[in-house]
Each structure stands twice: as structure tokens, then as C-alpha cells.
Amino acid sequence: MERQQEIKENKMGVMPVGKLLLNMSLPMMISMLVMALYNVVDSMFVSRISENALTALSMAFPVQNLMVAVAAGLGVGLNAVLSRALGAKEHENVRRGATSGLFMLLVCALVFMLGGMTVVRAYFEAQTDIGEIIECGVSYTSIVTIGSLGLFMQILCERLFQSTGRTVLTMIIQGLGAIINIILDPIMIFGYFGMPAMGVAGAALATIIGQWTAATLGMIMNAKLNKEVSLSLRGFCLHWPTIRRILAIGVPSVIMQSIGSVMTFAMNQILIAFSSTAVAVFGVYFKLQSFVFMPVFGLNNGTVPIVAYNYGARRPDRMTKTVRYSITAAMSVMIVGTLVFHAIPNVLLGIFDASDEMLRIGVPALRIISVSFPIAGFCIGCGSVFQALGYSVYSMITSLVRQLVVLIPCAYLIGKITGNVTMVWWAFVAAELFSLILTIIFFRRVNNKVIKTL
């Protein structure tokens, strides 16, 4: 009875929508900003080693992004399934969802661990013949993949807290992992306080130590504080209907986020034809844009459980208010990001000890690509609705068209025709415009088919 009362009074069904969205999203946005900070700090310290070491991290990014895509994508499916079950008061489905999510993420972590032991060197040798880049890349990527179980468990715990509206606890978990990484980076890279100088391997070790620490704290906190969702494989047996529901929402999200890895790999191949510095600029751009996109993704993570919960509770009024506020906030953040990228691109690049050549390529790159930020904010806001209501395939199609069907061919053709790396960046703006058109079409369809019929 006590547990049922806890679920009945969940704030996602009763708190005023504006306050609820702020309550749910602000901790996520703060924690995402901390995550962005440690990504930048990672590359900032590595850039002190050499530009080739920074380029190696840029080439390693697709692999790291793929791990996060799989973990976070399945987490989106788990989040939506749990929130919907909580909203509908289906207690057994809550338990099944949690244990099924744990099982799937453990399997995925094992796959990446095996990949880290076998194919990493071939991955880098397929991209470049520069020895320093290969060795730095292999060292870094092997460590973060073999130690990836911490990442998967950390994201699992975060999603369990998000599904019940406890996003402050998610912020604590993410923040702890990021802060530990930031502290350990210079110590392990350059060898302070008696530690040996390990270079890029030290950056990788700092990353996985932070993830494992956050995962451990998350498991303890979930067991003690998250009474609505029990997490245990004891007596576990596969419940295929629950797994299929998680996969139906999660796989399109995994594919959507994994497309970013394919896009980054392909763009690296296009840019390295100009110079390795162009690849380094592209990697630096991704680190910097995370300060803009991460808060919006945090907003998205706060929006999904609210929309899913109120869908389960059949409250379309709360759903539409949430969506409207979320999209407005996302676009506002993106506009600020555009203004910053236009005003001080040389200062942003200077964080990474940018050479004159990196400044020559990077300043116009940041200014041009950031033109598309507000459009991306609108599309991400709509994507949270697709994920929450089980239409993640729409987000997947939009992402596929934007990053592979439009961006890569445009970048390749522009580069070939003009021979000017500065012109290549305009492909990002063209891709985002195509994404906007598709997003509007899909959003109208979901609104008419689902939300208006409740």
C-alpha cells in the first residue's frame, strides 16, 4: 500500500508543468554541462602533448560515441517503458523493465570489451599511416572500451532515477564521475604527485575511473533511495514482451545516435584529404559544441519521462504544455550558443593551444556550423516527443537523412568541387534544413494520431 501511494503521488502527474520541467531538466542540464566540461578538459590536456595526440582523440570519438549511443539509446527505451508503466500503475511491468534493461546493458558492455581487445588497431590503421596518431589512438581507445562496463552501469542508474523523476540524483551521479575525471586527467597524463606520466593512456584511465566510481554510487543510491524501481537479476528470466518494448523505442534511438559515429568517421576521411589539422578542428568543434548541445540533451532527458508518464496517465494537456516549454527552452539555449560561437571563436580554439593553421581553419568552421544550432534545438525538442510516445523511428529517419543522406554527400561534393575546406562546413547548415522539414512532417503526424486522440 505504501509503495502504491508513492507511485500514485509521483510529481510527474501533479506538479505544475513549467515547474516540473524545470525541476526535472535543470539537474540534467547541469550534469550534462559538467560532462561537456570534462570532455573539453580531456582534449585540452591532450592537446598539450601534441596536435597528433589531439587528432587521435578526434579519430577515437566515433568509437566512444558509439558506446554512449548504445547505452543511452537503450536507456531511452528503458526510461520510456518504466515511466509509462509508472503512469499506468503497472507495478509488475516496472520490475520487468528494470531487470530487462540491466540484462541488455550488461550484454552490450561485454561486446564492446571484446571489441577493445581485438579490432582497435585495425580501426586506426584504416584511417591514417601516421605512427603517432595510431599509437595514441590505440592506447586511448583500448582502455575506454575494455573498461566500458562502468559507463553502461552508470547510464543504467541514471535512467532508473530519471524514470521516477529523481533527476537531482542523476545529476549527482554524473557530476561525481565528471569531477573525478577532471581531477585525475592532469595527474595521470603528466604524472603529478608521484604518478608516472602516461600521456593519452592516462586520459583514458581517468575516464574509466570516473565512470566506475559514478556507477558504484548509482547502484548504492538506487538500492537505498529508488523504492519505486527494484533492480536485481536474482530469479531473472527473459520476458520477451518487455524486452521488445524497450528495443522498439531504444533501437531507433541507438541507431539515431550511432549515426553520429558513422558521420564522424566519414567526415574525418573527407577532412584528412585536406590536412590532419582539419580533422583536429572537427574534433575540437565537437568538444566545444557539447557545451551547447549537452544542456539541450539534458532538457530532452527531462522531457521524455514527463511526456511518457502523462501519456500513460492520459493527460494530453500536460503533454502539450511540456512539449511547448521544452522546444522554446531548447531553441533559446541554441541561439545563445550561436552568438557565442560567432563572437569569440578564436578564444574557444585557443583553449586547445590552437596553431595559426588551426585558427585559420577553425574560426570560419565554428561560425558557419553554429548557424544551424537553433534549427537543431527545435528538432531535438520534437525528438523527445517521438521517443516518449514510442515513435523513435521518426527520430532515427530524421537523423539518418541529416547526417548520412545529406551531410556526407554534400560535404564530399563541396570539397571536391571547391577544393576549399571552409566551404565544406556549409554542408552542416544544408543538412539541418532538411532535418527541419522532416521533423515538422513527423511531429504533425504524431500530434494528430496520438496526442489529439487522448
Side-chain angles (χ1 to χ4, degrees):
M1 176 63 68
E2 182 182 348
R3 184 179 174 210
Q4 291 180 356
Q5 186 69 14
E6 260 189 276
I7 295 174
K8 182 179 179 181
E9 296 177 355
N10 191 292
K11 65 183 179 181
M12 289 189 289
V14 296
M15 186 180 288
V17 170
K19 182 180 178 181
L20 175 63
L21 184 61
L22 183 65
N23 184 275
M24 290 282 287
S25 299
L26 187 59
M28 295 300 305
M29 295 171 75
I30 294 171
S31 60
M32 288 289 194
L33 275 172
V34 176
M35 296 273 287
L37 177 62
Y38 97 72
N39 281 331
V40 168
V41 168
D42 223 30
S43 294
M44 183 183 74
F45 285 122
V46 168
S47 70
R48 268 56 171 179
I49 300 172
S50 69
E51 190 173 292
N52 279 338
L54 183 60
T55 302
L57 258 64
S58 299
M59 290 184 169
F61 178 78
V63 177
Q64 284 186 288
N65 187 64
L66 183 61
M67 288 193 297
V68 174
V70 172
L74 291 178
V76 166
L78 175 62
N79 195 346
V81 166
L82 288 177
S83 295
R84 191 179 301 178
L86 286 166
K89 312 299 185 292
E90 297 169 351
H91 312 314
E92 182 61 20
N93 284 337
V94 173
R95 185 191 65 80
R96 287 171 175 167
T99 52
S100 297
L102 172 60
F103 172 77
M104 287 189 287
L105 288 171
L106 288 174
V107 171
C108 291
L110 178 60
V111 171
F112 278 103
M113 292 168 71
L114 293 174
M117 298 175 188
T118 55
V119 300
V120 169
R121 181 168 293 275
Y123 168 79
F124 280 93
E125 289 177 345
Q127 299 184 76
T128 182
D129 58 0
I130 300 174
E132 185 184 5
I133 294 177
I134 293 173
E135 294 308 318
C136 288
V138 169
S139 176
Y140 184 88
T141 309
S142 296
I143 292 171
V144 297
T145 49
I146 292 171
S148 63
L149 181 59
L151 169 68
F152 282 87
M153 296 307 296
Q154 176 186 340
I155 290 179
L156 170 67
C157 294
E158 292 169 6
R159 291 302 186 265
L160 294 178
F161 284 127
Q162 287 173 27
S163 68
T164 57
R166 294 176 171 88
T167 51
V168 171
L169 300 182
T170 298
M171 179 184 70
I172 292 171
I173 295 170
Q174 286 184 329
L176 175 67
I179 291 168
I180 287 175
N181 192 347
I182 291 170
I183 293 171
L184 291 180
D185 259 335
I187 296 172
M188 304 187 81
I189 292 172
F190 303 115
Y192 298 135
F193 306 112
M195 290 288 293
M198 292 181 280
V200 293
L205 285 169
T207 297
I208 64 168
I209 290 171
Q211 291 167 351
W212 275 92
T213 304
T216 302
L217 176 66
M219 296 295 289
I220 294 170
M221 290 171 63
N222 191 76
K224 292 183 176 298
L225 303 176
N226 207 15
K227 301 302 183 183
E228 292 166 281
V229 181
S230 60
L231 183 64
S232 173
L233 288 177
R234 183 178 299 173
F236 170 74
C237 62
L238 293 175
H239 188 257
W240 289 109
T242 300
I243 290 176
R244 281 195 294 269
R245 282 196 293 272
I246 294 173
L247 292 176
I249 300 171
V251 168
S253 184
V254 170
I255 295 172
M256 178 180 67
Q257 296 183 64
S258 299
I259 289 168
S261 294
V262 178
M263 179 275 290
T264 305
F265 179 84
M267 281 298 299
N268 284 342
Q269 305 316 299
I270 293 169
L271 293 170
I272 204 165
F274 292 94
S275 68
S276 62
T277 302
V279 176
V281 165
F282 187 52
V284 165
Y285 156 73
F286 259 101
K287 302 294 184 180
L288 292 172
Q289 62 94 33
S290 65
F291 276 106
V292 184
F293 279 79
M294 284 295 194
V296 176
F297 289 141
L299 183 66
N300 178 76
N301 288 339
T303 302
V304 168
I306 298 173
V307 175
Y309 185 98
N310 285 284
Y311 175 72
R314 303 189 68 80
R315 292 291 307 274
D317 55 325
R318 292 178 63 82
M319 294 169 64
T320 52
K321 279 186 180 179
T322 301
V323 173
R324 185 166 63 249
Y325 293 163
S326 177
I327 291 175
T328 301
M331 292 186 68
S332 299
V333 171
M334 289 296 196
I335 289 170
V336 172
T338 299
L339 294 175
V340 171
F341 271 52
H342 271 258
I344 54 169
N346 53 329
V347 175
L348 297 176
L349 291 165
I351 296 171
F352 302 90
D353 278 0
S355 62
D356 290 341
E357 178 66 5
M358 185 177 284
L359 288 171
R360 184 187 70 80
I361 297 173
V363 167
L366 297 187
R367 285 177 171 158
I368 291 169
I369 300 175
S370 65
V371 170
S372 64
F373 285 0
I375 303 173
F378 176 84
C379 295
I380 293 169
C382 292
S384 65
V385 181
F386 302 153
Q387 293 166 2
L389 300 181
Y391 287 84
S392 294
V393 67
Y394 288 167
S395 295
M396 180 189 72
I397 293 170
T398 303
S399 186
L400 178 67
V401 170
R402 181 179 74 251
Q403 299 189 71
L404 298 185
V405 177
V406 179
L407 175 59
I408 296 303
C410 276
Y412 177 79
L413 290 174
I414 291 171
K416 282 293 184 183
I417 293 170
T418 67
N420 184 349
V421 69
T422 299
M423 297 301 296
V424 171
W425 310 119
W426 284 104
F428 284 87
V429 180
E432 213 61 64
L433 289 171
F434 272 84
S435 171
L436 176 64
I437 294 169
L438 277 178
T439 298
I440 291 172
I441 293 171
F442 289 147
F443 185 80
R444 291 186 64 179
R445 183 177 298 177
V446 170
N447 189 49
N448 292 332
K449 185 177 180 180
V450 180
I451 298 176
K452 285 186 176 180
T453 61
L454 285 178

